[in-house]
Amino acid sequence: MTAEQKLKNCNDVRAAYSSKGFNVNDVPNQGVNGAPLKVCPQGFSCCTVEMEEKLSQQSHTEIKAPVSRLSTNLQSTFRQRHDHFDKFFRELLKNAELSLHNMFVRTYGMMYVQNAELFKNFFEALTRYYVSGGTAVNLDSMLSDFWADLLERMFRLVNVQYEFSDAYMECVSRHTEQLQPFGDVPRKLRIQLTRAFVAARTFVKGLTLMPDVVNKVSTVSASPSCVRAAMKMLYCPYCSGQVALKPCQNYCLNVLRGCLANQADLDTEWNNFLDAMLSLAERLEGPFNFESVMDPIDVKISEAIMNMQENSMQVSQKVFQGCGQPKPSMVFRSKRSIKDTGFNGRFRPYSPDARPTTAAGTSLDRLTTDVKKKLKHAKKFWSTLPETVCAGERIEPGDECWNGTAKSRYESVVIANGLANQGLNPDVEVDITKPDTVIRSQIAALKEMTTWLKAAHSGNDISVDNDEETSGDEGSGSGCNSDNSDSPSCNEDDIYFSTPPNPGKPQVPVLAKDRSNGGVASQGGMALALCGLALALLAPHLR
């Protein structure tokens, strides 16, 4: 039947119209004068003005539905990846803390148990830094304080025959980096932790941003001209009785590119952001691998303690020369034996093979391999939306399709993506002088996040204001960051010249003290304490 014959009765239109959930009585039994119609051709028609209004609302829903579905899928994909990475990093921190606790209990016994809060606070600070970054924890300061506190506790232990005032111990703490009692471990660990944590938390923030951007962009409403164009493309064939007629592909592309003009402008910054995410993912797999830093952290700290044990005599001599000769202790436990101290060489050797190598049931390599595929697939998401929507059963290939006025070939040129190109769009009126404010704000958010990702790629955290990073008295201890820590300019004056024999009022916070008065040696007190400490610290290395 021809379109003219179908207009003699509107039965097909009545059936199709009611299948959309509308009242069939809205449709005339036969074609009527279409002069009052505002969107569709005004000849003889099966449409009324009331039908046109309802079908306009329906077209708005149908033009939005595939875009919403694609956006929802994208949001879901990266919310899941965010949750996987976040859970993995948090569990890895917990596993590392538990591994250190178990190892140190077996190896150092009560000496560790009495000082366990130092290590507990260390991991709590690392977790806070992972969650909140530099606004919550100054990583350099925290690490400097940790090593200074550890030095103070060990220094007291190996020099139990002396009494030390708070001011004296602060003198010791101020020069932890100069003394280098723990060898090169603190410097290397600080660089590794900074790079790994900055990369991990910035990458997770990037995974948080993606679904947030998509969600906010999805709230952008279609313009009246877009709804009008969608109505004309999807439902004007009804008015001529051709309910099965689908739009030409190029016609559909022009309508969708007009409707999604602002969204397409996201594409450049979106792709830049994804490229930065992919580059940082490569870092996570390689030199900034969070797992490879946290997994053996117990062994690294144990190595630092071993260095202190081996260098304790030299360290003590330097401190005595720089901070002054301490007073002998007035209290001695003269009959304390090595056995009484709880130190012996029969500890169970620690096997690195026993340490957990995964968290959250996966590994960092598997997570990054998976997320890189998803990131690559998400590229050009916004600019390809029209092509994605205008495909399959939604369009009619060839020339036997709806071109906006009749069943015929679509002759207009397909307009390029983006707001600036829509001034020439033949099917959608777009005001190219008024960019959408929501989308512009998301473009700015992507650009800022890309800057953070690129900085993290170099091991730098710039996600907080410089004022916040450097405010107050907090610092990195030496005043050196991960970029210049190896520079000669970062080396302070020698302790013999920079510290007076009798230090005045301390300039740094008072560190926790060991007030147990235990562990005091008998005759040859320092030698006995060193002997016991050596046995304890050498335990991990005994076979």
Side-chain angles (χ1 to χ4, degrees):
M1 297 177 62
T2 64
E4 290 77 8
Q5 289 173 318
K6 288 184 178 181
L7 286 177
K8 292 179 181 178
N9 70 75
C10 299
N11 291 338
D12 290 347
V13 179
R14 289 167 68 86
Y17 185 79
S18 63
S19 72
K20 300 291 181 183
F22 299 122
N23 189 338
V24 70
N25 294 325
D26 292 345
V27 185
N29 291 321
Q30 294 183 338
V32 297
N33 185 358
L37 298 178
K38 299 177 182 179
V39 179
C40 296
Q42 296 179 331
F44 210 51
S45 179
C46 280
C47 291
T48 63
V49 172
E50 183 181 12
M51 286 176 62
E52 197 177 46
E53 291 175 355
K54 291 182 178 180
L55 289 171
S56 289
Q57 296 172 3
Q58 180 68 19
S59 65
H60 183 194
T61 300
E62 292 189 14
I63 204 74
K64 185 178 180 180
V67 176
S68 296
R69 185 167 59 254
L70 292 166
S71 298
T72 300
N73 290 341
L74 191 64
Q75 289 180 64
S76 177
T77 294
F78 287 100
R79 281 201 181 103
Q80 289 176 0
R81 270 63 195 177
H82 166 270
D83 292 345
H84 292 164
F85 270 90
D86 187 51
K87 182 180 180 182
F88 177 81
F89 289 141
R90 288 174 186 265
E91 286 198 13
L92 202 58
L93 278 164
K94 291 180 181 178
N95 289 350
E97 181 177 5
L98 180 61
S99 179
L100 180 141
H101 176 79
N102 292 338
M103 173 189 179
F104 279 27
V105 166
R106 287 197 304 269
T107 306
Y108 307 132
M110 286 305 298
M111 185 181 72
Y112 163 72
V113 172
Q114 292 170 355
N115 295 279
E117 85 283 353
L118 172 63
F119 300 94
K120 182 175 183 293
N121 294 339
F122 171 73
F123 282 100
E124 286 179 350
L126 286 180
T127 301
R128 286 200 310 275
Y129 181 76
Y130 167 72
V131 173
S132 303
T135 57
V137 176
N138 184 311
L139 192 58
D140 275 0
S141 293
M142 185 276 286
L143 292 172
S144 294
D145 291 345
F146 169 75
W147 293 113
D149 199 349
L150 183 59
L151 171 61
E152 178 181 346
R153 292 166 189 249
M154 292 192 67
F155 187 79
R156 286 180 181 276
L157 182 62
V158 299
N159 292 284
V160 290
Q161 70 273 36
Y162 295 110
E163 287 183 354
F164 300 103
S165 66
D166 289 350
Y168 194 99
M169 295 312 301
E170 285 164 13
C171 174
V172 176
S173 297
R174 280 198 300 272
H175 297 284
T176 302
E177 293 190 15
Q178 287 175 258
L179 291 166
Q180 293 189 338
F182 303 109
D184 207 28
V185 174
R187 184 190 68 84
K188 289 181 178 179
L189 190 59
R190 176 176 54 78
I191 293 173
Q192 291 170 346
L193 284 172
T194 299
R195 289 173 175 174
F197 270 77
V198 169
R201 69 181 306 273
T202 307
F203 192 78
V204 169
K205 286 181 73 172
L207 291 175
T208 302
L209 179 67
M210 290 184 71
D212 187 53
V213 167
V214 177
N215 180 57
K216 289 178 179 176
V217 171
S218 67
T219 64
V220 176
S221 300
S223 66
S225 62
C226 169
V227 175
R228 180 184 177 93
M231 162 64 194
K232 185 177 181 181
M233 179 178 74
L234 296 174
Y235 287 114
C236 282
Y238 276 38
C239 300
S240 60
Q242 303 176 89
V243 295
L245 188 59
K246 296 178 182 179
C248 304
Q249 184 176 31
N250 286 351
Y251 175 36
C252 180
L253 286 174
N254 271 344
V255 171
L256 266 293
R257 287 185 177 183
C259 287
L260 301 173
N262 281 284
Q263 286 86 335
D265 283 350
L266 275 164
D267 220 44
T268 298
E269 286 305 326
W270 177 262
N271 292 335
N272 290 341
F273 163 77
L274 293 176
D275 285 338
M277 286 286 286
L278 286 164
S279 294
L280 192 55
E282 296 285 347
R283 288 290 208 190
L284 284 173
E285 289 179 314
F288 296 0
N289 191 307
F290 192 89
E291 189 173 16
S292 67
V293 173
M294 290 308 301
D295 194 41
I297 197 169
D298 49 3
V299 175
K300 293 176 182 178
I301 294 176
S302 183
E303 179 188 345
I305 293 173
M306 187 68 188
N307 289 336
M308 169 60 185
Q309 184 269 327
E310 292 175 347
N311 300 320
S312 58
M313 292 291 292
Q314 298 94 316
V315 170
S316 296
Q317 289 173 5
K318 287 184 179 180
V319 170
F320 295 161
Q321 292 178 21
C323 294
Q325 187 69 26
K327 296 179 180 179
S329 173
M330 302 301 294
V331 180
F332 288 93
R333 297 181 181 180
S334 59
K335 295 183 179 180
R336 188 92 172 196
S337 70
I338 292 178
K339 182 177 181 181
D340 293 332
T341 66
F343 298 145
N344 61 70
R346 296 190 297 275
F347 289 97
R348 176 184 173 187
Y350 184 72
S351 171
D353 295 336
R355 191 186 306 112
T357 56
T358 60
T362 186
S363 70
L364 190 56
D365 286 344
R366 286 198 290 271
L367 288 173
T368 50
T369 298
D370 170 69
V371 80
K372 284 195 297 183
K373 292 179 182 177
K374 303 299 181 184
L375 290 168
K376 290 174 183 177
H377 186 70
K379 294 190 74 172
K380 298 185 178 180
F381 174 79
W382 304 103
S383 61
T384 58
L385 272 177
E387 284 82 357
T388 305
V389 174
C390 296
E393 295 182 355
R394 295 191 188 95
I395 54 98
E396 185 69 41
D399 297 338
E400 298 295 307
C401 52
W402 174 252
N403 66 5
T405 56
K407 182 179 181 180
S408 183
R409 182 179 180 180
Y410 182 74
E411 300 289 350
S412 299
V413 175
V414 178
I415 302 301
N417 277 304
L419 184 64
N421 296 312
Q422 301 311 306
L424 300 175
N425 195 310
D427 299 297
V428 187
E429 294 180 9
V430 181
D431 187 348
I432 62 174
T433 65
K434 294 181 179 179
D436 184 87
T437 55
V438 172
I439 289 176
R440 296 297 140 175
S441 70
Q442 295 312 297
I443 290 174
L446 287 168
K447 188 177 295 186
E448 181 181 45
M449 190 71 233
T450 300
T451 303
W452 295 352
L453 290 164
K454 289 180 177 179
H457 187 270
S458 300
N460 300 315
D461 185 1
I462 61 169
S463 61
V464 293
D465 294 335
N466 289 332
D467 290 339
E468 291 177 339
E469 291 179 330
T470 58
S471 63
D473 293 330
E474 288 193 14
S476 61
S478 67
C480 304
N481 57 35
S482 58
D483 292 328
N484 64 3
S485 59
D486 295 323
S487 171
S489 64
C490 283
N491 297 326
E492 295 182 4
D493 294 335
D494 189 273
I495 187 171
Y496 307 123
F497 302 100
S498 63
T499 308
N502 298 306
K505 186 176 180 180
Q507 300 298 313
V508 295
V510 176
L511 299 172
K513 302 297 186 293
D514 179 5
R515 305 190 184 280
S516 64
N517 292 323
V520 180
S522 58
Q523 296 178 351
M526 182 174 180
L528 179 58
L530 279 173
C531 180
L533 182 62
L535 287 171
L537 293 172
L538 283 169
H541 306 276
L542 297 176
R543 291 294 179 182

